[in-house]
Amino acid sequence: MKAMIFSAGLGSRFKPWTDAHPKALALVNGKSLLQRNIEYLQQYNIRDVVVNVHHFADQIIAAIKESNGWGSNVLISDETNEVLETGGGLLKARDLLESNEPFLSLNVDILTNLDLNKLMAFHQQNKPLVTFGITNRKSSRVLLFDGQSRLCGWSNVQTGEEKGPHLLVSEKEKSSTQLKVMAYSCVVMYQPAIFNLIRQQGKFSIIETYLDLAEEHVILGYDHSGDLLVDVGKPESIAVAEKLFS
């Protein structure tokens, strides 16, 4: 199986580190976020990894070369001309990822101990187009699911903005507020057919694609609440991560 680690972001919330370095190389107990995610994938025998680069791309490429990919076969998807976000980045890396098998994506600034074998088994059993990890935790932007864990919407908790194919949800479910409100874990398994279905182009979030496709295709959330998960989005998150990930 192949995997992609999204590592091209500007890391604007992670200043001052990202004034001179990519967030992907921020250290947690002496190991960079990128190294940790590559080694996380290795626990499940996933060693073919695509890493996209933009912000201080040369530093990431140098770190990968110096470490020999930390034991994995790491390929670079070059976004130095324009950062494309998760959806655009995935589409740009198509030639590096595409095969007849499902593949994974991770965000470099998320550390988790989600059991990928369980995620894969759930995906294989239910046969959706996309399966991604979700947990019951506080987040300013959340995803909405029906009783079968099928994606049916997105909501910004702070502004009240909502998006999504609410036709998936029966009026009974709407009126009885049976929708599950969950946070996105940024660990995703895709069927290769996703590439022929993505309608967005250029720079876009993969969430846009999920919401666009969810009415016609099954997109599921895999609840792994209780697992460790840290969004290392801000410098103060390092201390939290260091307590949980040795």
Side-chain angles (χ1 to χ4, degrees), residues 91-211:
L91 199 54
K92 182 176 177 60
R94 176 175 184 165
D95 290 345
L96 301 176
L97 289 168
E98 201 166 23
S99 72
N100 295 323
E101 301 296 328
F103 65 94
L104 286 162
S105 75
L106 317 173
N107 286 19
V108 76
D109 54 2
I110 296 290
L111 297 181
T112 183
N113 67 346
L114 161 61
D115 187 331
L116 292 181
N117 287 333
K118 292 181 179 179
L119 177 69
M120 293 174 202
F122 180 88
H123 184 83
Q124 290 166 355
Q125 178 181 354
N126 292 283
K127 297 180 171 35
L129 177 66
V130 179
T131 303
F132 46 72
I134 52 174
T135 62
N136 183 14
R137 68 184 194 278
K138 288 185 178 180
S139 177
S140 59
R141 291 179 290 274
V142 296
L143 295 173
L144 310 175
F145 299 86
D146 67 12
Q148 286 71 51
S149 297
R150 186 170 178 180
L151 177 67
C152 55
W154 170 95
S155 177
N156 185 317
V157 175
Q158 296 174 334
T159 66
E161 179 187 6
E162 290 193 354
K163 299 178 183 178
H166 295 290
L167 293 175
L168 286 173
V169 187
S170 69
E171 290 301 320
K172 182 179 179 181
E173 281 184 307
K174 287 179 183 176
S175 62
S176 60
T177 62
Q178 291 179 351
L179 291 181
K180 291 191 296 182
V181 178
M182 305 291 282
Y184 182 56
S185 300
C186 306
V187 180
V188 190
M189 178 167 283
Y190 310 83
Q191 288 300 115
I194 188 75
F195 286 118
N196 290 327
L197 297 170
I198 295 174
R199 288 186 273 250
Q200 294 76 20
Q201 293 183 342
K203 178 180 179 180
F204 63 95
S205 167
I206 195 63
I207 298 290
E208 293 179 40
T209 299
Y210 300 159
L211 296 172

Side-chain angles (χ1 to χ4, degrees), residues 8 52 78-79 82-89 92 202-205:
N52 66 339
D78 189 349
E79 295 179 24
E82 180 187 14
V83 64
L84 296 171
E85 296 190 15
T86 49
K92 182 176 177 60
K203 178 180 179 180
F204 63 95
S205 167

